[in-house]
Amino acid sequence: MQISLSGIAKSFGTTAVLKGVDLTVAAGEFVTLVGPSGCGKSTLLRILAGLERPDGGRVEIDGRDVTAVRPADRNLAMVFQSYALYPHLSVEENMMTPLKLRDLTRLQRLPLVGPLLARQRYRALRRQVRGAAETLKIEDLLSRKPGQLSGGQRQRAALGRAMVRNPVAFLMDEPLSNLDAALRVHMRSELSQLHRRLATTFIYVTHDQAEALTMSDRMAVMMHGAILQLGPPDEIYNSPASVEVARFVGSPAINLLPGEIDGQGRLSVLGRPFSWAPAAERQPLLVGVRPEHMALAPEGSAQFSGFVRHRENLGADLFLHLELSDGNTKVILRCDPAVLAERTQGGAALGTRVGLSIDPQCLHLFGSNGRRLTSAARDLARIA
Ligand SMILES: Nc1ncnc2c1ncn2[C@@H]1O[C@H](COP(=O)(O)OP(=O)(O)OP(=O)(O)O)[C@@H](O)[C@H]1O
Ligand SMILES: [Mg+2]
């Protein structure tokens, strides 16, 4: 079912936390809200869930205005960072709780007596719980208490509890942030698979751009209470609409170099003529280059030169931190360690002077207002 937020505004005291946010999520879509701490992601999700009231704007589910509807009547499932499982109940009982609250009378919910009074109903609920547990591959853990589970298993149990009600959508707020790095990466693929299997809308909040890039159909980059850009991950990565988005998405972060367009439409980077620009208007720029679009080159033919100040070898990738010869610009470039060892003596050791070339087709040009220059950087022709 389509979910749409329009003009959502929210202030706490005098601080405007959300400034008129619009977002429409299609049925079955996986959308991530990503942005730095404090930008308003959780507040937006809580408003969607009905846990917080907006000062202005509308929340619609399947075309129905639910802005004033109670959380319980929105049929959305919320999964938090802290799994909020009941510690004294088994996984099965935890998963059954939302179903009991929805389907049983107060009398039927009583311990001991309830199951005797409503044997059929309990059997049906158990079947539902078992179905969800099978989807999540936690059938064997149903009798355990949360304290007897690993972090990943606990997270799955919390997902299971959210799943049993067949919600219209899953709202997840940093559900993986309590897990260690390896498990987090593993759970990313599990969540993607779960999303495909359930074919239900997922709205996922994270401050981790890698999670957003790897899992979502579309990601919304939020900052200062507004969505700066919304689109598929590759579009956000390859055509960031502003310096802020470019900086936030990608790791290591995009390199930003000072540049300028002169009156003839020529682009210079760090004072060096570089290529033709997509605009003729004279203006200062910030030139963005992703670490993978820079390469070491023989100093004679390279556009820039610098000194190796730090090396981060991750096995498959090597990140070289260079200080350029102008003395105050630092860049990071990504290389293949094997190729690097082959091409450079000593593999660009610390302190050595190296040539740096930049692929002119892969530049991102941002005007002084921080916005991307409209025309595609791919049209740039290199000055011989
Ligand atoms: N109940 C509240 N009362 C006052 N201020 C609040 C309240 N809830 C949130 N805020 C403030 O609103 C801003 C946005 O908070 P929110 O929790 O939405 O951020 P977030 O993007 O989820 O950040 P994080 O990534 O750290 O979870 C923050 O500055 C926060 O301090
Ligand atoms: Mg938050």
Side-chain angles (χ1 to χ4, degrees):
M1 268 178 247
Q2 176 175 294
I3 292 178
S4 123
L5 297 160
S6 45
I8 299 293
K10 178 75 182 174
S11 297
F12 290 112
T14 55
T15 320
V17 170
L18 295 172
K19 303 165 184 166
V21 174
D22 298 316
L23 176 67
T24 298
V25 178
E29 206 181 3
F30 194 143
V31 168
T32 337
L33 301 174
V34 63
S37 185
C39 70
K41 306 177 293 292
S42 296
T43 306
L44 191 62
L45 203 69
R46 290 170 57 79
I47 286 173
L48 174 51
L51 301 171
E52 201 90 62
R53 270 196 89 107
D55 302 333
R58 276 159 74 92
V59 181
E60 284 176 23
I61 298 177
D62 201 22
R64 185 167 78 101
D65 186 343
V66 296
T67 320
V69 170
R70 290 188 314 144
D73 298 329
R74 297 188 186 195
N75 198 19
L76 302 167
M78 190 96 181
V79 184
F80 299 96
Q81 167 183 359
S82 60
Y83 319 114
L85 294 167
Y86 301 110
H88 58 290
L89 297 182
S90 68
V91 171
E92 182 178 45
E93 287 160 329
N94 262 290
M95 287 171 70
M96 223 151 87
T97 304
L99 292 177
K100 283 191 190 166
L101 287 173
R102 189 187 64 184
D103 297 346
L104 301 183
T105 63
R106 184 171 294 212
L107 193 63
Q108 291 171 334
R109 288 204 296 268
L110 285 179
L112 303 176
V113 188
L116 292 175
L117 288 175
R119 208 167 282 174
Q120 291 292 348
R121 291 206 153 191
Y122 270 84
R123 207 169 292 150
L125 298 192
R126 282 211 185 84
R127 250 200 318 273
Q128 263 169 281
V129 165
R130 184 152 284 276
E134 278 166 14
T135 306
L136 292 162
K137 303 193 184 70
I138 50 169
E139 314 95 285
D140 301 340
L141 308 175
L142 285 174
S143 57
R144 294 215 204 151
K145 301 266 169 70
Q148 300 167 313
L149 301 176
S150 74
Q153 292 168 335
R154 234 174 274 165
Q155 187 52 267
R156 257 172 265 161
L159 278 170
R161 194 178 51 183
M163 262 168 65
V164 287
R165 287 186 295 129
N166 290 325
V168 173
F170 287 87
L171 312 184
M172 307 195 192
D173 195 346
E174 312 246 6
L176 306 186
S177 55
N178 275 350
L179 306 180
D180 69 44
L183 191 52
R184 220 159 42 224
V185 172
H186 173 72
M187 286 301 290
R188 275 189 214 158
S189 69
E190 289 221 342
L191 278 179
S192 297
Q193 286 171 31
L194 182 66
H195 172 248
R196 278 196 295 274
R197 228 175 298 147
L198 298 177
T200 305
T201 312
F202 276 35
I203 302 181
Y204 187 99
V205 160
T206 178
H207 62 265
D208 181 344
Q209 50 94 34
E211 278 182 13
L213 284 170
T214 49
M215 291 195 295
S216 32
D217 296 320
R218 286 190 304 156
M219 56 195 273
V221 183
M222 275 186 80
M223 266 174 230
H224 324 300
I227 292 177
L228 300 189
Q229 192 173 358
L230 172 68
D234 57 346
E235 185 180 306
I236 305 264
Y237 187 81
N238 295 318
S239 313
S242 66
V243 178
E244 280 175 306
V245 174
R247 254 198 212 121
F248 186 74
V249 177
S251 174
I254 195 166
N255 297 295
L256 291 165
L257 307 169
E260 194 185 34
I261 295 179
D262 70 9
Q264 278 80 50
R266 267 179 309 229
L267 168 71
S268 60
V269 178
L270 280 166
R272 199 183 178 291
F274 195 76
S275 64
W276 296 102
E281 230 171 286
R282 193 187 158 90
Q283 56 179 313
L285 300 168
L286 269 182
V287 179
V289 190
R290 298 259 177 224
E292 62 272 28
H293 297 139
M294 292 183 158
L296 293 187
E299 253 199 272
S301 63
Q303 298 135 326
F304 307 97
S305 66
F307 295 93
V308 180
R309 292 299 181 217
H310 181 55
R311 298 163 49 99
E312 278 176 281
N313 195 346
L314 302 180
D317 286 317
L318 176 72
F319 297 111
L320 284 181
H321 296 232
L322 304 185
E323 182 184 309
L324 299 189
S325 309
D326 69 342
N328 52 30
T329 307
K330 295 193 173 65
V331 299
I332 298 181
L333 67 130
R334 176 174 152 199
C335 353
D336 179 332
V339 173
L340 186 74
E342 214 171 87
R343 293 212 187 134
T344 57
Q345 284 176 342
L350 276 185
T352 40
R353 192 182 157 102
V354 291
L356 172 70
S357 76
I358 294 175
D359 184 347
Q361 304 232 309
C362 298
L363 301 183
H364 304 270
L365 303 183
F366 303 104
S368 46
N369 57 2
R371 308 287 308 162
R372 181 186 192 83
L373 290 200
T374 44
S375 151
R378 302 199 181 284
D379 301 337
L380 300 183
R382 194 164 174 182
I383 295 176

